[in-house]
């Protein structure tokens, strides 16, 4: 803002000087000057026609210059006369002038003042040229920013955004891996003394939202060194050579502020493997990559510059980037486990107000597969819901709703089922629950709802009983049976099929195919016939050969069909044997739309919903979602006395008793 004000002020100064020069030139233009001879001048002087006379001696040129006016001249008309530098001639002129009482003015020669001469002669030219150059530069700068194309786009993080390891939760091993980078940036001589070589580059690999950028910032924050941040896409431009120039400029800046840390996010945008396209190889991206490789070889081993890059696609990076001496260390950042999720929730919960009923450990158990960014979004959604409901603190009601929103999207309150559709959805979700309850290897049911969210008419929150790194064949088969329980329930109860199970089939088929082609859990034996699917990388996967014949492909299909059929039969048997439990859960869903794990466990034990739990979970929870004004309107409709003087908690208690 100050820079803009300064430019505006300079603009006004230039405009003022420009017009001042023009006016000066106009004032001195337009006058007529008559050049007289000495005889003509003396004749007019003797006749008394001269009204003004100015004498300007010019010693350097040995002449006198006189100017003045005659009686018959117009306003700006003057005469000028030059005569040799002679005392007799000047005395003669002075005597005649004195006879006619003519005042003679003698001026100093302006040519003797070099400064004045320069100002008078050059000032108009300088002002005109400067004025033109100023506005031309502004026009060019506004229309085309190509002059700074080669400048680095790396941003230097300010001290206000400083991050330390206290702000990074759930990454214990990862912090330990990068700790020596901090020690090197603080005390490089300790490593140089023993001849140790610190890696020039560290590659952070992991799914989106796991905290790669945050960890890089924390390394710079702990070491208290400058942190340069740039995205891989910032190097690539339309013009060839611009990216390479930016790489050179970035390393030039880094060397001037060493020790420092450079962070390149999404390095796969510029570091993809060379020579894999169908077209030419000397494009802008490859030149940028070549320059990056050269610069990393250019600075010394312990020069004080460390590069940290992040990507979730390490498989597409050029091998030259990953060789020793460049990005020779990889740190994998996976999704957090239950302990890590709890720590992450505690970090993001510092500036939020929670009710006493909110237990972050229980929330961590329910958020299997959530990344750090997902957990932060979960708490933020809960806070937004609490504000929307005019609450002073975040309760479990908001946490549950926020969890469902992150997983499936907002509830579609305006979408209304027909009675038949509602029954089908209720029995479908109850079928999943029954199979999950009766099979030990299937996922445990945490929550069931028939409120439509996203593309789903309802959903069943089923989580593994324990977080493990390995899955047995029995657990995979029972997971498939749990996924098929919804379709089985529809067929047994209604004798027909619906389209509601398409996502269940998709997941079940994926597990079955992986069992046959990747895990070796079929009659085909311990063979890996396929690898995990990834994005097609043109040039590497375009002409990918099959690792099996047509006969083996047929056998794969047969094995998959056998696995699905066996699991379908198992799910059918379980639901037929537990038809009463299926009806109890479905009826509870039809009445309450949403039931929790505690309510499901009560139904399994007693065969019906508990009255106290039912009232608490349905009607009281519905009161939780109402604002103070809505509660008062409801109390007025039910004719509750003194409702206008009650606070929010008293209103909810009075309404729940009335219900």
């Amino acid at each position: 803002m100050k820079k803009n004000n300064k430019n505006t002020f300079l603009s006004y100064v230039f405009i003022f000087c420009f017009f001042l020069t023009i006016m000066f030139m106009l004032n001195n233009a337009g006058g007529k000057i008559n050049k007289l001879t000495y005889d003509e001048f003396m004749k007019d002087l003797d006749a008394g026609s001269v009204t003004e006379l100015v004498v300007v001696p010019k010693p350097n040129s040995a002449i006198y210059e006189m100017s003045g006016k005659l009686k018959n001249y117009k306003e700006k008309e003057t005469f000028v006369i030059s005569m040799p530098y002679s005392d007799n001639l000047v005395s003669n002129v002075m005597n005649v002038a004195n006879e006619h009482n003519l005042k003679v003015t003698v001026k100093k020669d302006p040519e003797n003042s070099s400064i004045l001469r320069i100002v008078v002669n050059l000032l108009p030219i300088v002002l005109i040229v400067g004025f033109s150059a100023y506005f031309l530069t502004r026009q060019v700068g506004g229309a085309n920013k190509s002059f700074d194309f080669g400048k680095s786009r790396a941003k230097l993080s300010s001290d206000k955004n400083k991050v330390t390891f206290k702000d990074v939760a759930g990454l214990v091993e990862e912090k330990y891996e990068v700790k020596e980078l901090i020690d090197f940036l603080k005390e490089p001589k300790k490593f140089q003394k023993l001849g140790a070589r610190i890696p020039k580059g560290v590659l952070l690999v992991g799914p989106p939202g796991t905290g790669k950028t945050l960890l890089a910032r924390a390394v710079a924050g702990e070491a208290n060194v400058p942190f340069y941040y740039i995205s891989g896409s910032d190097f690539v431009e339309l013009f060839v050579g611009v990216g390479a120039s930016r790489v050179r400029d970035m390393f030039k800046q880094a060397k001037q502020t060493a020790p420092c840390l450079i962070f390149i996010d999404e390095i796969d945008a510029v570091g993809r493997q060379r020579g894999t396209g169908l077209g030419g190889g000397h494009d802008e991206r490859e030149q940028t990559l070549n320059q990056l490789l050269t610069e990393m070889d250019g600075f010394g081993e312990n020069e004080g510059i460390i590069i940290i890059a992040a990507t979730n696609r390490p498989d597409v990076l050029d091998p030259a980037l990953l060789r020793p001496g460049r990005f020779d260390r990889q740190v994998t950042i996976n999704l957090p486990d239950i302990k890590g999720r709890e720590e992450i929730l505690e970090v993001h919960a510092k500036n939020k107000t929670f009710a006493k009923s909110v237990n972050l450990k229980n929330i961590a158990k329910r958020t299997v597969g959530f990344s750090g960014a997902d957990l932060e979004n979960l708490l933020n959604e809960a806070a937004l819901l609490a504000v929307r409901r005019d609450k002073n603190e975040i309760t479990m009601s908001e946490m549950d709703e926020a969890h469902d929103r992150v997983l499936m999207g907002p509830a579609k309150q305006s979408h209304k089922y027909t009675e038949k559709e509602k029954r089908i959805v209720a029995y479908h979700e109850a079928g999943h629950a029954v199979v999950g309850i009766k099979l030990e290897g299937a996922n445990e049911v945490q929550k069931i709802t028939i409120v439509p969210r996203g593309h789903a008419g309802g959903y069943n929150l089923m989580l593994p009983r324990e977080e493990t790194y390995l899955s047995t064949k029995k657990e995979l088969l029972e997971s498939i049976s749990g996924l098929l329980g919804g379709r089985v329930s529809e067929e047994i109860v209604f004798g027909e099929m619906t389209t509601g199970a398409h996502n269940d089939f998709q997941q079940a088929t994926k597990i079955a195919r992986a069992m046959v082609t990747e895990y070796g859990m079929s009659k085909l034996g311990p063979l890996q016939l396929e690898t995990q699917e990834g994005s097609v990388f043109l040039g590497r996967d375009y002409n990918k050969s099959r690792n099996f014949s047509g006969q083996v492909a047929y056998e794969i299909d047969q094995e998959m069909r056998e696995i699905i059929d066996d699991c379908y039969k198992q799910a059918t048997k379980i639901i037929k044997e537990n038809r009463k439990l299926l009806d109890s859960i479905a009826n509870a869903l039809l009445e309450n739309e949403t039931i929790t794990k505690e309510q499901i466990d009560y139904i399994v034990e007693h065969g019906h919903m508990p009255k106290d739990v039912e009232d608490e979970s349905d009607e009281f929870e519905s009161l939780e979602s109402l604002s103070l004004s809505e509660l008062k309107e409801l109390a007025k409709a039910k004719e509750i006395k003194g409702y206008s003087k009650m606070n929010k908690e008293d209103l909810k208690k009075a309404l729940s008793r009335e219900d």
Side-chain angles (χ1 to χ4, degrees):
M1 198 68 185
K2 292 181 179 178
K3 188 176 181 180
N4 292 336
N5 292 336
K6 184 178 180 181
N7 291 337
T8 304
F9 175 74
L10 290 175
S11 301
Y12 287 136
V13 170
F14 271 120
I15 293 172
F16 175 76
C17 293
F18 178 76
F19 281 108
L20 191 65
T21 304
I22 296 298
M23 291 175 65
F24 174 78
M25 295 174 66
L26 289 175
N27 288 334
N28 290 277
K32 184 178 179 181
I33 300 176
N34 300 316
K35 193 169 183 180
L36 302 179
T37 64
Y38 179 75
D39 294 337
E40 290 174 341
F41 168 69
M42 291 303 296
K43 184 179 179 180
D44 290 332
L45 186 63
D46 290 336
S49 300
V50 178
T51 58
E52 292 181 12
L53 184 61
V54 179
V55 180
V56 181
K58 293 181 177 287
N60 295 334
S61 59
I63 62 172
Y64 274 103
E65 188 176 86
M66 297 183 183
S67 62
K69 285 188 176 185
L70 300 179
K71 290 181 178 180
N72 58 346
Y73 277 6
K74 297 179 180 179
E75 183 180 355
K76 291 187 178 182
E77 189 176 2
T78 59
F79 69 84
V80 64
I81 179 176
S82 300
M83 60 183 180
Y85 188 80
S86 171
D87 293 337
N88 293 331
L89 293 176
V90 174
S91 298
N92 189 22
V93 171
M94 292 298 183
N95 292 332
V96 175
N98 290 333
E99 290 177 2
H100 294 280
N101 296 322
L102 177 65
K103 186 179 180 182
V104 180
T105 305
V106 180
K107 285 188 177 181
K108 185 180 178 182
D109 182 12
E111 293 184 358
N112 290 336
S113 177
S114 59
I115 298 177
L116 180 62
R117 185 168 63 251
I118 292 172
V119 171
V120 171
N121 294 330
L122 296 182
L123 181 61
I125 300 173
V126 170
L127 287 175
I128 293 173
V129 172
F131 184 78
S132 303
Y134 175 75
F135 278 95
L136 180 63
T137 304
R138 286 178 60 90
Q139 291 295 327
V140 173
N144 189 2
K145 296 292 184 182
S146 60
F147 294 109
D148 63 345
F149 265 17
K151 297 294 183 181
S152 172
R153 292 289 191 269
K155 300 176 182 177
L156 182 62
S157 180
S158 63
D159 293 336
K160 295 180 180 179
N161 300 325
K162 188 175 179 180
V163 178
T164 62
F165 278 171
K166 294 180 181 179
D167 304 309
V168 182
L171 301 177
V172 180
E173 293 80 7
E174 290 80 359
K175 289 179 187 177
Y176 181 78
E177 282 292 320
V178 298
K179 189 177 184 301
E180 66 182 17
L181 301 180
I182 301 171
D183 296 336
F184 168 72
L185 290 171
K186 286 183 175 180
E187 300 180 58
K189 293 182 179 179
K190 183 173 67 174
F191 293 84
Q192 295 170 2
K193 184 178 179 181
L194 297 178
R197 179 181 64 82
I198 290 296
K200 295 180 182 178
V202 177
L203 185 66
L204 303 181
V205 180
T210 50
K212 299 184 289 294
T213 304
L214 190 66
L215 182 62
R217 288 185 180 275
V219 172
E222 288 286 336
N224 197 24
V225 297
F227 179 80
Y228 290 94
Y229 171 87
I230 191 170
S231 174
S233 59
D234 289 334
F235 292 112
V236 183
E237 283 286 353
L238 175 65
F239 304 103
V240 177
V242 172
S245 176
R246 289 178 178 175
V247 172
R248 288 192 295 269
D249 189 65
M250 180 181 70
F251 279 90
K252 181 181 177 182
Q253 293 181 22
K255 289 177 182 178
Q256 293 173 353
T257 58
C260 64
L261 190 147
I262 300 174
F263 178 68
I264 305 176
D265 197 10
E266 305 296 346
I267 194 173
D268 52 280
V270 70
R272 283 177 174 265
Q273 185 172 347
R274 294 166 290 181
T276 55
L278 297 179
H282 297 286
D283 60 356
E284 162 67 358
R285 182 182 57 79
E286 293 195 4
Q287 288 196 21
T288 306
L289 175 59
N290 292 336
Q291 187 64 43
L292 179 62
L293 298 176
T294 304
E295 290 292 338
M296 291 188 71
D297 290 336
F299 65 86
E301 293 178 354
N302 293 324
E303 198 166 316
I305 301 174
I306 293 178
I307 305 173
I308 297 180
T311 181
N312 51 17
R313 291 294 312 276
D315 56 310
V316 302
L317 294 179
D318 194 280
L321 268 177
L322 306 179
R323 76 157 175 83
R326 289 171 182 159
F327 289 101
D328 50 1
R329 176 175 296 184
Q330 291 190 24
V331 178
T332 303
I333 302 178
N334 292 314
L335 294 172
D337 57 9
I338 182 172
K339 184 179 179 182
R341 291 196 299 274
E342 185 178 356
E343 292 175 357
I344 294 171
L345 287 170
E346 288 175 355
V347 169
H348 293 299
K350 287 180 180 178
N351 61 340
K352 296 177 176 62
T353 304
F354 291 93
K356 294 181 180 179
S357 59
V358 176
N359 190 330
L360 295 180
K361 187 174 182 179
N362 292 337
I363 296 171
K365 291 180 181 178
R366 297 172 51 186
T367 50
V368 178
F370 277 48
S371 66
D374 292 330
L375 294 171
E376 190 276 335
N377 188 35
L378 171 68
L379 295 183
N380 185 60
E381 285 288 341
L384 292 174
L385 285 168
V387 173
R388 204 175 299 162
R389 295 173 178 178
D390 295 330
K391 291 187 176 182
N392 297 324
E393 56 187 8
I394 303 171
T395 65
M396 278 305 298
S397 175
E398 284 76 42
M399 296 299 297
D400 288 337
E401 176 65 20
H403 180 269
D404 295 343
R405 278 172 171 263
V406 172
L407 278 179
M408 305 293 294
K412 297 181 179 179
Q413 300 290 353
S414 60
H415 181 75
K416 298 297 182 183
Y417 285 124
T418 63
E419 287 301 320
K420 182 179 179 181
E421 284 180 326
K422 194 172 182 179
R423 282 178 56 80
I424 292 175
V425 173
Y427 272 95
H428 179 99
E429 301 301 336
H432 288 305
V434 170
V435 178
I437 291 167
K438 295 302 178 180
L439 292 178
E440 294 182 0
N443 291 336
E444 190 175 21
V445 180
Q446 299 289 331
K447 181 181 179 180
I448 311 173
T449 179
I450 58 173
V451 177
R453 290 179 181 272
H455 297 289
Y459 87 98
N460 201 323
L461 180 60
M462 302 176 70
L463 301 175
R465 287 175 171 81
E466 293 181 358
E467 291 187 47
T468 58
Y469 288 98
L470 300 175
S471 297
T472 64
K473 181 179 180 180
K474 179 184 176 183
E475 290 173 345
L476 292 175
L477 291 173
E478 291 182 349
S479 296
I480 295 174
S481 298
L483 291 168
L484 299 176
R487 167 58 67 85
V488 172
S489 176
E490 292 178 12
E491 287 191 347
I492 291 176
V493 177
F494 302 99
E496 58 182 358
M497 304 177 185
T498 68
T499 59
H502 69 281
N503 188 48
D504 301 331
F505 295 156
Q506 182 181 2
Q507 296 182 50
T509 305
K510 184 178 180 181
I511 296 173
R513 188 170 189 86
M515 290 176 64
V516 178
T517 61
E518 296 180 39
Y519 307 146
M521 296 179 178
S522 69
K523 296 176 183 177
L524 295 179
L527 298 174
Q528 188 177 43
L529 302 172
E530 291 179 351
T531 56
Q532 290 186 0
E533 295 180 359
S535 300
V536 174
F537 185 32
L538 192 60
R540 179 186 296 176
D541 299 332
Y542 188 72
N543 294 319
K544 184 178 178 181
S545 60
R546 296 173 60 183
N547 294 327
F548 47 83
S549 64
Q551 177 62 30
V552 174
Y554 173 76
E555 293 178 7
I556 291 173
D557 294 339
Q558 291 295 105
E559 287 295 316
M560 288 174 57
R561 186 183 297 275
E562 184 175 342
I563 290 173
I564 296 294
D565 288 344
D566 290 345
C567 292
Y568 198 88
K569 291 176 183 177
Q570 185 182 29
T572 303
K573 180 182 177 182
I574 292 172
I575 289 179
K576 284 183 177 179
E577 291 176 352
N578 298 275
R579 176 62 188 270
K580 186 176 180 181
L581 177 61
L582 177 72
D583 292 335
S584 299
I585 295 176
N587 290 331
L589 282 171
L590 290 171
E591 293 176 7
N592 303 278
E593 292 190 341
T594 301
I595 55 177
T596 62
K597 181 180 182 299
E598 292 75 15
Q599 295 167 335
I600 295 170
D601 292 341
Y602 192 92
I603 293 172
V604 172
E605 186 175 352
H606 300 91
H608 61 83
M609 281 276 287
K611 290 185 178 181
D612 53 341
V613 178
E614 183 178 356
D615 291 340
E616 227 177 88
S617 63
D618 182 19
E619 292 164 7
F620 190 73
E621 284 295 329
S622 63
L623 295 175
E624 285 281 344
S625 63
L626 297 179
S627 64
L628 181 61
S629 59
E630 292 171 333
L631 287 169
K632 288 184 177 181
E633 289 180 6
L634 185 60
K636 182 180 180 181
K638 295 196 174 187
E639 298 181 352
I640 296 177
K641 296 181 179 179
Y643 71 89
S644 59
K645 296 181 180 180
M646 293 183 183
N647 58 30
K648 198 166 185 178
E649 295 302 321
D650 292 337
L651 271 171
K652 285 188 288 189
K653 291 177 182 178
L655 286 167
S656 61
R657 287 195 299 269
E658 184 71 18
D659 291 337

